[in-house]
Amino acid sequence: RVKEQGKNNFQFFTPAMNEEYSRRSKIAIGLRKGLERDEFTVHYQPQIDIPSGAIIGAEALVRWTHPPMGPISPAEFIPVAEETGAIIALGEFVLREACHQNKAWQDAGMPPLRMAINISARQFAQTDICGSVRSALADSGLDAKYLELELTESIIQGTSDAVATMQELKDMGLHLSIDDFGTGYSSLSYLKLFPIDTLKIDQYFTRNLLVDTKDAALVDTIIRLAHNLELKVIAEGVETAEQLEFLKARRCDYAQGYLFNRPLSPEEFGRIYCPLQVGDVVY
Ligand code: C2E
Ligand code: MG
Ligand code: MG
Ligand code: MG
Protein backbone atom coordinates (compact mmCIF):
# COMPACT_ATOMS: atom_id res chain seq x y z
CA ARG A 1 0.00 0.00 0.00
CA VAL A 2 2.88 2.32 0.76
CA LYS A 3 4.43 1.44 -2.58
CA GLU A 4 1.28 2.42 -4.45
CA GLN A 5 1.70 6.01 -3.24
CA GLY A 6 4.46 6.66 -5.75
CA LYS A 7 6.07 9.95 -6.79
CA ASN A 8 3.24 10.95 -9.08
CA ASN A 9 0.53 10.36 -6.57
CA PHE A 10 -0.95 13.75 -5.69
CA GLN A 11 -2.46 14.10 -2.24
CA PHE A 12 -5.24 16.64 -2.06
CA PHE A 13 -6.20 18.30 1.20
CA THR A 14 -9.91 18.66 1.74
CA PRO A 15 -11.07 21.83 3.57
CA ALA A 16 -11.63 19.75 6.72
CA MET A 17 -8.10 18.35 6.54
CA ASN A 18 -6.74 21.85 6.02
CA GLU A 19 -8.59 23.12 9.05
CA GLU A 20 -7.35 20.25 11.17
CA TYR A 21 -3.81 20.77 9.97
CA SER A 22 -3.86 24.47 10.73
CA ARG A 23 -5.36 23.88 14.20
CA ARG A 24 -2.59 21.39 14.86
CA SER A 25 0.13 23.78 13.75
CA LYS A 26 -1.40 26.60 15.82
CA ILE A 27 -1.25 24.25 18.82
CA ALA A 28 2.34 23.29 18.04
CA ILE A 29 3.43 26.94 17.88
CA GLY A 30 1.25 27.87 20.85
CA LEU A 31 2.84 25.16 23.01
CA ARG A 32 6.27 26.65 22.56
CA LYS A 33 5.10 30.21 23.28
CA GLY A 34 2.81 29.07 26.07
CA LEU A 35 5.72 27.54 27.95
CA GLU A 36 7.59 30.84 27.82
CA ARG A 37 4.48 32.78 28.85
CA ASP A 38 3.46 30.59 31.80
CA GLU A 39 0.13 29.68 30.26
CA PHE A 40 0.01 26.19 31.74
CA THR A 41 -1.50 25.28 35.08
CA VAL A 42 -1.96 22.02 36.91
CA HIS A 43 -5.24 20.74 38.31
CA TYR A 44 -5.57 17.96 40.83
CA GLN A 45 -8.10 15.14 41.06
CA PRO A 46 -8.51 13.24 44.35
CA GLN A 47 -7.96 9.49 44.62
CA ILE A 48 -9.95 7.64 47.26
CA ASP A 49 -9.17 4.54 49.28
CA ILE A 50 -12.30 2.45 48.66
CA PRO A 51 -12.51 0.49 51.95
CA SER A 52 -12.03 3.53 54.23
CA GLY A 53 -13.42 6.33 52.06
CA ALA A 54 -10.36 8.46 52.86
CA ILE A 55 -8.42 10.52 50.33
CA ILE A 56 -5.03 8.93 49.66
CA GLY A 57 -3.72 10.72 46.61
CA ALA A 58 -4.23 13.07 43.73
CA GLU A 59 -3.49 12.98 40.03
CA ALA A 60 -1.86 16.05 38.51
CA LEU A 61 -3.47 16.99 35.17
CA VAL A 62 -2.12 19.81 33.06
CA ARG A 63 -4.45 22.57 31.85
CA TRP A 64 -3.97 25.08 29.08
CA THR A 65 -5.93 28.08 27.86
CA HIS A 66 -4.55 29.20 24.53
CA PRO A 67 -5.12 32.98 24.36
CA PRO A 68 -7.15 33.21 21.14
CA MET A 69 -8.23 29.56 20.91
CA GLY A 70 -9.49 29.16 24.49
CA PRO A 71 -9.17 26.07 26.70
CA ILE A 72 -7.71 23.05 24.90
CA SER A 73 -7.97 19.51 26.25
CA PRO A 74 -4.72 17.69 27.08
CA ALA A 75 -6.15 14.80 25.09
CA GLU A 76 -5.63 17.09 22.08
CA PHE A 77 -2.42 18.97 22.89
CA ILE A 78 -0.39 16.25 24.65
CA PRO A 79 -0.06 14.18 21.44
CA VAL A 80 1.09 17.34 19.59
CA ALA A 81 3.57 18.08 22.39
CA GLU A 82 4.83 14.49 22.08
CA GLU A 83 5.38 14.96 18.37
CA THR A 84 7.17 18.31 18.59
CA GLY A 85 9.17 17.48 21.70
CA ALA A 86 7.49 20.25 23.75
CA ILE A 87 6.39 17.44 26.08
CA ILE A 88 9.86 17.43 27.60
CA ALA A 89 9.65 21.00 28.93
CA LEU A 90 5.96 20.62 29.69
CA GLY A 91 6.48 17.38 31.58
CA GLU A 92 9.29 18.94 33.55
CA PHE A 93 7.02 21.87 34.48
CA VAL A 94 4.22 19.57 35.70
CA LEU A 95 6.64 17.44 37.71
CA ARG A 96 8.16 20.42 39.51
CA GLU A 97 4.83 22.19 40.02
CA ALA A 98 3.09 19.11 41.43
CA CYS A 99 5.95 18.27 43.81
CA HIS A 100 5.97 21.84 45.18
CA GLN A 101 2.18 21.86 45.52
CA ASN A 102 2.15 18.53 47.33
CA LYS A 103 4.80 19.70 49.79
CA ALA A 104 2.93 23.00 50.34
CA TRP A 105 -0.24 21.07 51.21
CA GLN A 106 1.64 18.85 53.63
CA ASP A 107 3.15 21.92 55.26
CA ALA A 108 -0.33 23.43 55.53
CA GLY A 109 -1.47 20.34 57.46
CA MET A 110 -3.36 18.38 54.82
CA PRO A 111 -3.21 14.60 55.34
CA PRO A 112 -0.19 13.54 53.25
CA LEU A 113 -1.16 12.52 49.74
CA ARG A 114 0.65 10.59 47.08
CA MET A 115 0.85 12.78 44.00
CA ALA A 116 0.50 10.91 40.70
CA ILE A 117 2.08 12.47 37.63
CA ASN A 118 1.63 11.38 34.01
CA ILE A 119 4.90 10.69 32.25
CA SER A 120 4.78 10.44 28.47
CA ALA A 121 6.76 7.75 26.69
CA ARG A 122 9.01 10.30 25.05
CA GLN A 123 9.74 12.06 28.34
CA PHE A 124 10.57 8.69 29.87
CA ALA A 125 12.84 7.54 27.06
CA GLN A 126 14.54 10.75 25.95
CA THR A 127 15.27 12.62 29.14
CA ASP A 128 17.15 11.85 32.31
CA ILE A 129 13.91 11.18 34.14
CA CYS A 130 15.68 9.97 37.28
CA GLY A 131 17.73 13.17 37.42
CA SER A 132 14.63 15.34 36.86
CA VAL A 133 12.75 13.54 39.62
CA ARG A 134 15.69 13.75 42.00
CA SER A 135 16.02 17.50 41.50
CA ALA A 136 12.24 18.14 41.72
CA LEU A 137 12.19 16.25 45.03
CA ALA A 138 15.26 18.02 46.39
CA ASP A 139 14.01 21.49 45.38
CA SER A 140 10.51 20.96 46.79
CA GLY A 141 11.56 19.01 49.88
CA LEU A 142 8.95 16.34 49.06
CA ASP A 143 9.63 12.79 50.26
CA ALA A 144 9.89 10.33 47.34
CA LYS A 145 7.22 8.11 48.88
CA TYR A 146 4.65 10.84 48.13
CA LEU A 147 5.37 10.75 44.42
CA GLU A 148 3.96 8.32 41.90
CA LEU A 149 4.69 8.20 38.18
CA GLU A 150 1.96 7.02 35.84
CA LEU A 151 3.54 5.26 32.88
CA THR A 152 1.79 3.79 29.88
CA GLU A 153 2.32 0.46 28.18
CA SER A 154 3.97 2.31 25.28
CA ILE A 155 7.20 2.77 27.25
CA ILE A 156 7.78 -0.93 26.67
CA GLN A 157 9.60 -0.20 23.43
CA GLY A 158 13.19 -0.55 24.51
CA THR A 159 12.40 -2.88 27.37
CA SER A 160 15.74 -3.42 29.05
CA ASP A 161 16.45 0.32 29.36
CA ALA A 162 12.93 0.93 30.58
CA VAL A 163 13.22 -1.72 33.28
CA ALA A 164 16.55 -0.34 34.50
CA THR A 165 15.12 3.19 34.68
CA MET A 166 12.03 1.96 36.50
CA GLN A 167 14.17 0.07 38.97
CA GLU A 168 16.23 3.18 39.66
CA LEU A 169 13.03 5.14 40.35
CA LYS A 170 11.77 2.37 42.64
CA ASP A 171 15.09 2.38 44.49
CA MET A 172 14.62 6.11 45.09
CA GLY A 173 11.35 5.27 46.86
CA LEU A 174 8.78 6.28 44.23
CA HIS A 175 5.58 4.46 43.36
CA LEU A 176 5.03 3.42 39.76
CA SER A 177 1.74 2.69 38.06
CA ILE A 178 0.60 1.62 34.63
CA ASP A 179 -1.99 4.09 33.30
CA ASP A 180 -4.76 3.16 30.88
CA PHE A 181 -4.06 -0.49 31.59
CA GLY A 182 -5.43 -2.84 28.98
CA THR A 183 -5.90 -0.27 26.22
CA GLY A 184 -2.49 -0.72 24.55
CA TYR A 185 -1.39 -3.53 22.33
CA SER A 186 1.30 -5.00 24.51
CA SER A 187 1.49 -8.51 25.87
CA LEU A 188 1.02 -9.23 29.54
CA SER A 189 4.52 -10.56 29.96
CA TYR A 190 5.87 -7.11 30.80
CA LEU A 191 3.98 -7.24 34.09
CA LYS A 192 6.53 -9.82 35.17
CA LEU A 193 9.46 -7.58 34.24
CA PHE A 194 8.30 -4.17 35.38
CA PRO A 195 8.85 -3.17 39.00
CA ILE A 196 5.43 -1.53 39.34
CA ASP A 197 3.05 -1.05 42.27
CA THR A 198 -0.33 -0.30 40.74
CA LEU A 199 -2.50 -0.98 37.70
CA LYS A 200 -4.84 1.79 36.67
CA ILE A 201 -8.08 0.64 35.06
CA ASP A 202 -8.94 2.95 32.18
CA GLN A 203 -12.16 4.93 32.34
CA TYR A 204 -13.19 3.28 29.09
CA PHE A 205 -13.71 0.03 31.03
CA THR A 206 -15.25 1.69 34.09
CA ARG A 207 -17.77 3.68 32.08
CA ASN A 208 -19.96 0.81 30.91
CA LEU A 209 -19.40 -1.48 33.86
CA LEU A 210 -23.09 -1.77 34.73
CA VAL A 211 -24.50 -1.92 31.22
CA ASP A 212 -21.98 -4.11 29.45
CA THR A 213 -21.29 -7.53 30.97
CA LYS A 214 -18.06 -7.77 28.98
CA ASP A 215 -16.70 -4.57 30.50
CA ALA A 216 -17.76 -5.88 33.90
CA ALA A 217 -15.85 -9.11 33.21
CA LEU A 218 -12.77 -7.18 32.13
CA VAL A 219 -12.77 -4.95 35.21
CA ASP A 220 -13.29 -7.98 37.45
CA THR A 221 -10.39 -9.74 35.70
CA ILE A 222 -8.02 -6.75 35.92
CA ILE A 223 -8.68 -6.48 39.68
CA ARG A 224 -7.93 -10.20 40.15
CA LEU A 225 -4.89 -10.00 37.89
CA ALA A 226 -3.48 -7.10 39.91
CA HIS A 227 -4.07 -8.85 43.21
CA ASN A 228 -2.66 -12.16 41.97
CA LEU A 229 0.50 -10.25 41.07
CA GLU A 230 0.44 -8.52 44.47
CA LEU A 231 -0.22 -5.15 42.88
CA LYS A 232 -2.73 -2.49 43.92
CA VAL A 233 -5.45 -1.47 41.51
CA ILE A 234 -7.20 1.85 40.96
CA ALA A 235 -10.27 2.49 38.79
CA GLU A 236 -10.48 5.82 37.00
CA GLY A 237 -13.62 7.45 35.63
CA VAL A 238 -15.86 6.40 38.53
CA GLU A 239 -18.97 8.51 38.11
CA THR A 240 -21.75 6.70 39.97
CA ALA A 241 -22.34 5.12 43.38
CA GLU A 242 -23.33 1.90 41.58
CA GLN A 243 -19.96 1.69 39.83
CA LEU A 244 -18.26 2.23 43.17
CA GLU A 245 -20.36 -0.57 44.73
CA PHE A 246 -19.28 -2.95 41.99
CA LEU A 247 -15.62 -2.06 42.57
CA LYS A 248 -15.96 -2.31 46.34
CA ALA A 249 -17.55 -5.76 46.12
CA ARG A 250 -14.57 -6.92 44.08
CA ARG A 251 -12.03 -5.42 46.48
CA CYS A 252 -10.67 -2.79 44.10
CA ASP A 253 -8.27 -0.73 46.22
CA TYR A 254 -8.71 2.84 45.01
CA ALA A 255 -11.00 4.96 42.88
CA GLN A 256 -10.85 8.27 41.07
CA GLY A 257 -13.61 10.06 39.18
CA TYR A 258 -16.33 12.67 39.01
CA LEU A 259 -18.25 10.84 41.77
CA PHE A 260 -15.68 12.22 44.22
CA ASN A 261 -14.51 15.30 42.35
CA ARG A 262 -13.39 16.65 39.02
CA PRO A 263 -9.81 17.80 38.61
CA LEU A 264 -9.69 20.96 40.73
CA SER A 265 -7.56 24.08 40.73
CA PRO A 266 -5.03 24.08 43.59
CA GLU A 267 -7.15 26.72 45.39
CA GLU A 268 -10.33 24.64 45.14
CA PHE A 269 -8.52 21.46 46.11
CA GLY A 270 -6.94 23.12 49.15
CA ARG A 271 -10.25 24.61 50.28
CA ILE A 272 -11.91 21.18 50.28
CA TYR A 273 -9.15 18.89 51.50
CA CYS A 274 -6.85 21.05 53.59
CA PRO A 275 -9.08 21.18 56.67
CA LEU A 276 -9.10 17.37 56.87
CA GLN A 277 -7.41 15.20 59.48
CA VAL A 278 -5.62 11.97 58.61
CA GLY A 279 -8.20 9.21 58.09
CA ASP A 280 -11.19 11.53 57.60
CA VAL A 281 -13.78 10.01 55.33
CA VAL A 282 -14.38 12.08 52.21
CA TYR A 283 -16.84 9.76 50.58
P1 C2E B 1 -5.32 10.08 32.05
O1 C2E B 1 -3.97 10.16 32.64
O2 C2E B 1 -5.91 8.75 31.83
O3 C2E B 1 -6.22 11.00 33.00
C1 C2E B 1 -7.54 10.76 33.32
C2 C2E B 1 -8.49 11.63 32.50
O4 C2E B 1 -9.81 11.29 32.82
C3 C2E B 1 -8.37 13.13 32.81
O5 C2E B 1 -8.64 13.83 31.60
C4 C2E B 1 -9.50 13.35 33.79
O6 C2E B 1 -9.96 14.68 33.84
C5 C2E B 1 -10.54 12.42 33.23
N1 C2E B 1 -11.52 11.97 34.22
C6 C2E B 1 -11.33 11.78 35.55
N2 C2E B 1 -12.44 11.31 36.14
C7 C2E B 1 -13.37 11.20 35.16
C8 C2E B 1 -14.74 10.75 35.15
O7 C2E B 1 -15.33 10.37 36.17
N3 C2E B 1 -15.37 10.75 33.95
C9 C2E B 1 -14.75 11.16 32.79
N4 C2E B 1 -15.45 11.13 31.67
N5 C2E B 1 -13.47 11.58 32.77
C10 C2E B 1 -12.79 11.59 33.95
P2 C2E B 1 -7.76 15.07 31.12
O8 C2E B 1 -7.36 15.90 32.29
O9 C2E B 1 -8.52 15.70 30.00
O10 C2E B 1 -6.46 14.38 30.56
C11 C2E B 1 -6.49 13.55 29.43
C12 C2E B 1 -5.20 12.81 29.24
O11 C2E B 1 -4.14 13.73 28.92
C13 C2E B 1 -4.71 12.08 30.48
O12 C2E B 1 -5.36 10.84 30.62
C14 C2E B 1 -3.24 11.94 30.17
O13 C2E B 1 -3.02 10.87 29.31
C15 C2E B 1 -2.94 13.24 29.44
N6 C2E B 1 -2.35 14.20 30.39
C16 C2E B 1 -2.94 15.10 31.22
N7 C2E B 1 -2.03 15.79 31.91
C17 C2E B 1 -0.80 15.33 31.53
C18 C2E B 1 0.56 15.66 31.89
O14 C2E B 1 0.84 16.51 32.75
N8 C2E B 1 1.54 14.95 31.24
C19 C2E B 1 1.26 13.99 30.31
N9 C2E B 1 2.28 13.34 29.73
N10 C2E B 1 0.00 13.66 29.97
C20 C2E B 1 -1.01 14.32 30.56
MG1 MG C 1 -3.11 9.38 34.26
MG1 MG D 1 -5.69 6.91 32.74
MG1 MG E 1 -7.12 7.55 30.16
Side-chain angles (χ1 to χ4, degrees):
R1 199 161 284 268
V2 174
K3 270 190 190 146
E4 282 166 22
Q5 298 183 344
K7 274 185 195 155
N8 300 320
N9 191 330
F10 290 93
Q11 300 275 351
F12 292 100
F13 283 103
T14 65
M17 283 162 78
N18 256 326
E19 212 170 284
E20 195 187 306
Y21 179 79
S22 95
R23 184 173 164 88
R24 226 180 141 77
S25 35
K26 274 185 208 151
I27 288 174
I29 295 161
L31 281 167
R32 193 156 38 77
K33 291 192 183 150
L35 279 160
E36 289 164 14
R37 296 179 189 165
D38 290 334
E39 286 169 5
F40 296 90
T41 58
V42 183
H43 281 202
Y44 300 92
Q45 187 175 36
Q47 299 181 329
I48 275 63
D49 177 63
I50 295 179
S52 69
I55 181 171
I56 46 98
E59 179 175 6
L61 294 155
V62 70
R63 293 291 177 263
W64 184 31
T65 302
H66 184 286
M69 292 169 84
I72 304 179
S73 160
E76 183 173 13
F77 70 77
I78 292 285
V80 182
E82 284 248 11
E83 223 170 83
T84 63
I87 191 66
I88 291 174
L90 189 59
E92 184 79 13
F93 162 75
V94 174
L95 172 67
R96 301 188 69 83
E97 186 72 17
C99 286
H100 277 92
Q101 183 60 73
N102 202 21
K103 182 64 164 71
W105 280 331
Q106 288 182 10
D107 290 347
M110 195 189 286
L113 304 178
R114 191 156 63 220
M115 180 65 73
I117 297 176
N118 294 284
I119 302 292
S120 86
R122 185 158 178 183
Q123 191 186 356
F124 188 85
Q126 295 183 5
T127 68
D128 172 17
I129 186 78
C130 299
S132 296
V133 165
R134 220 175 266 118
S135 97
L137 291 174
D139 293 349
S140 62
L142 185 72
D143 192 310
K145 73 176 176 201
Y146 297 119
L147 182 59
E148 172 172 328
L149 302 188
E150 293 191 4
L151 309 171
T152 58
E153 295 172 22
S154 57
I155 67 150
I156 293 155
Q157 291 123 14
T159 309
S160 62
D161 274 9
V163 172
T165 305
M166 290 169 92
Q167 192 55 56
E168 192 175 339
L169 293 163
K170 281 302 302 165
D171 293 344
M172 288 164 62
L174 270 75
H175 276 248
L176 299 180
S177 58
I178 299 292
D179 202 357
D180 305 335
F181 179 74
T183 63
Y185 292 96
S186 52
S187 80
L188 287 176
S189 56
Y190 76 86
L191 289 174
K192 222 169 59 172
L193 302 171
F194 284 7
I196 51 167
D197 303 284
T198 307
L199 295 185
K200 200 161 185 190
I201 301 174
D202 195 71
Q203 53 178 288
Y204 177 83
F205 299 122
T206 314
R207 186 173 305 147
N208 299 317
L209 204 57
L210 296 152
V211 287
D212 187 330
T213 54
K214 289 187 176 164
D215 281 321
L218 285 170
V219 169
D220 182 75
T221 304
I222 296 171
I223 295 169
R224 287 168 197 270
L225 173 68
H227 288 162
N228 285 340
L229 292 166
E230 295 179 326
L231 303 173
K232 299 286 190 190
V233 57
I234 177 166
E236 80 179 9
V238 179
E239 294 185 356
T240 69
E242 291 74 22
Q243 291 167 339
L244 181 63
E245 272 317 303
F246 178 100
L247 296 163
K248 192 171 191 170
R250 282 158 187 81
R251 307 274 183 274
C252 183
D253 301 281
Y254 312 120
Q256 173 184 345
Y258 296 167
L259 178 63
F260 313 103
N261 248 320
R262 290 174 176 266
L264 302 167
S265 72
E267 295 75 23
E268 292 172 303
F269 194 100
R271 215 175 300 130
I272 297 171
Y273 297 105
C274 223
L276 297 178
Q277 304 295 310
V278 173
D280 272 359
V281 171
V282 299
Y283 185 81

